[in-house]
Amino acid sequence: MPPRSELQARVSRSCGNCRAVKRRCDRQLPHCGQCTRTGEQCSGYRDEWDLVFRNQTDHTIKRTMEKRAQKEDQADVATNYDPSPLPPPDLGSSHDELGVNYFLYNFITGSQSSSRGYLNYIPAAYTADIQHSPMLAASMAAIGLVTLANTTQQPQLAKHARAKYSEAINQVNIALASPIESIKDSTLMSVISLGLFEYISDFTSWARHVQGAAALVVARGKNQFSTSAAFPMFDQVRADMVAVCMHSGQPFPEDMCELHEEASKHMDTTSAFWRLGILATQCTNLLWSVMNNRGEIPWSDLLEQATGLQRELQYIFGILSLDSGYTTSQKPGGDPAIFYNERFDVYANSWAIRVWNNARVLHIKVCDSIRYILNQILATDLVPVTRTHMELRLLDTREILSKLGKDIIATVPQALGVISSTSEVGRGIDVSSSTSGSAGYMMTWPLYTAGKSSAMESEARKWIIQRLQDFGHNAGITLALQLVEDIIKIDQCANQESLTLISGPFKG
């Protein structure tokens, strides 16, 4: 590796205009402040992913490959997955390199295969704090190794993963003990990344980890938004916290909401992505209000609030369709465990899948709330016209829920890696590997939300149950096995109700 001073010069993250005239770039978002002041059209910033691997030389590649070849216990694993992009140099043992390599290839969004990677916060934080690469590398190695161990059924790698996890936790705890180190991007990035490791534990452990990450975000304060890496990390913690609150029946923390105002000063607040993040917190609080309402709030007021959120979500779906739409296709004769009703949808990349599914999850929660509110209203005395209107609204909401659930299911083939991009539609599709390294982490919550929805058809719900069980048994995601138990109970109750309706008074 070249000296740090040379490395910094090579990986300038200034916008294209500032690099061209060799001026200092303030790297403001969404556009450079220098370009804004001079009236220029900002050409944007470099892909952080390219900067991560920019300085890996042929010597590093050769040295890494030779080191791998010397480790016989890794020979069988190294031949089973694509070794590029290579991990940063000087990581230590080949197990470390293997874990980081697998993590980067399977979890990071960027210029890789469009079907892999959905995390976007790591490249920016990594290049901004290279001196803390041991802590970041330990975190990535732990997740990469445990995922690889579970998907390939190799217990010896799981032992190395546990050891690496302990090492990363110790390094994070040391950083958290320092007032200076604790608020650095690299520390938060390590904390967020290690949260993925908790997916193999249980919901309680994962939720506790997310709450710790949220507390760290709050402790970083308003000044944290001075770096480009802060925004995607803030969004990741916010999204995880939304999932925890919705599942636990809690309102979204106010201290995190207070950071929205500061973050908005540095963001394009008209973008669908930003508006979706704000809506997520509002939907969480709506769900809490609905489930805890004992008559203090008129149901009509809650219905009006839910309707407003639904309109905003529909507007966001419209923006997403224009900016990052998807195509729907059929796979006649496709494996029914992967292609539900032979359907699959194709997106630009896994990041697009994540954004679309996050929006669908929120819409499902809002629609479920609307159905609950409507049923509460229908239980009261209503004039015939109002009752008819409410009943029609109830049917319409059920249809929306059914579509949202099937749209989520249709993202599974690409998330698993058996569908790659629009350019590959119509070509031969490899379905030999039904458990992708990162698919379970990305798809567990969307599938759980769809399967738990009050309007999900029994056949589709059973398909979701099988997929979540596959994530648990074949990818080692214990969280998926815990969550699927809720869906199994719902399915059993639905089946029992169907039997009661069929048998009627003749039952028993």
Side-chain angles (χ1 to χ4, degrees), residues 328-403:
T328 296
S329 301
Q330 296 291 126
K331 175 62 178 176
D335 184 350
I338 298 175
F339 301 91
Y340 179 72
N341 285 345
E342 300 183 341
R343 174 188 167 183
F344 66 93
D345 292 347
V346 185
Y347 296 76
N349 48 46
S350 291
W351 174 253
I353 293 176
R354 183 187 178 218
V355 174
W356 272 96
N357 279 347
N358 282 354
R360 289 172 181 136
V361 165
L362 295 180
H363 202 178
I364 287 175
K365 290 295 186 181
V366 170
C367 284
D368 272 335
S369 297
I370 289 175
R371 290 195 76 199
Y372 183 84
I373 294 170
L374 289 173
N375 282 321
Q376 296 298 316
I377 295 175
L378 286 168
T380 63
D381 293 330
L382 300 171
V383 298
V385 174
T386 303
R387 179 171 295 276
T388 300
H389 174 73
M390 294 295 177
E391 290 173 345
L392 290 174
R393 177 82 186 273
L394 197 61
L395 290 174
D396 182 58
T397 304
R398 183 181 181 86
E399 290 181 5
I400 293 173
L401 280 168
S402 178
K403 181 182 184 304

Side-chain angles (χ1 to χ4, degrees), residues 260-457:
H260 285 160
E261 182 179 354
E262 183 63 27
S264 66
K265 298 176 182 178
H266 308 271
M267 296 291 292
D268 178 7
T269 57
T270 64
S271 71
F273 185 73
W274 173 255
R275 296 174 74 160
L276 191 61
I278 298 296
L279 264 178
T281 63
Q282 295 173 346
C283 290
T284 303
N285 290 334
L286 168 69
L287 187 64
W288 181 83
S289 297
V290 170
M291 299 311 298
N292 289 276
N293 187 36
R294 298 296 180 267
E296 303 90 350
I297 307 174
W299 289 111
S300 57
D301 289 356
L302 289 173
L303 181 60
E304 182 178 357
Q305 183 181 346
T307 302
L309 292 176
Q310 186 179 38
R311 281 197 296 265
E312 178 70 7
L313 281 165
Q314 290 169 337
Y315 176 77
I316 289 176
F317 278 121
I319 297 177
L320 290 177
S321 297
L322 293 174
D323 295 343
S324 55
Y326 60 91
T327 58
T328 296
S329 301
Q330 296 291 126
K331 175 62 178 176
D335 184 350
I338 298 175
F339 301 91
Y340 179 72
N341 285 345
E342 300 183 341
R343 174 188 167 183
F344 66 93
D345 292 347
V346 185
Y347 296 76
N349 48 46
S350 291
W351 174 253
I353 293 176
R354 183 187 178 218
V355 174
W356 272 96
N357 279 347
N358 282 354
R360 289 172 181 136
V361 165
L362 295 180
H363 202 178
I364 287 175
K365 290 295 186 181
V366 170
C367 284
D368 272 335
S369 297
I370 289 175
R371 290 195 76 199
Y372 183 84
I373 294 170
L374 289 173
N375 282 321
Q376 296 298 316
I377 295 175
L378 286 168
T380 63
D381 293 330
L382 300 171
V383 298
V385 174
T386 303
R387 179 171 295 276
T388 300
H389 174 73
M390 294 295 177
E391 290 173 345
L392 290 174
R393 177 82 186 273
L394 197 61
L395 290 174
D396 182 58
T397 304
R398 183 181 181 86
E399 290 181 5
I400 293 173
L401 280 168
S402 178
K403 181 182 184 304
L404 289 168
K406 290 175 181 176
D407 287 346
I408 288 176
I409 289 174
T411 65
V412 170
Q414 185 173 351
L416 290 173
V418 299
I419 298 295
S420 193
S421 67
T422 52
S423 62
E424 294 189 19
V425 175
R427 300 183 186 178
I429 300 173
D430 177 20
V431 295
S432 58
S433 176
S434 61
T435 305
S436 162
S438 62
Y441 296 91
M442 181 171 69
M443 294 302 303
T444 291
W445 282 106
L447 286 176
Y448 169 71
T449 304
K452 196 179 176 184
S453 171
S454 57
M456 177 59 66
E457 292 87 345

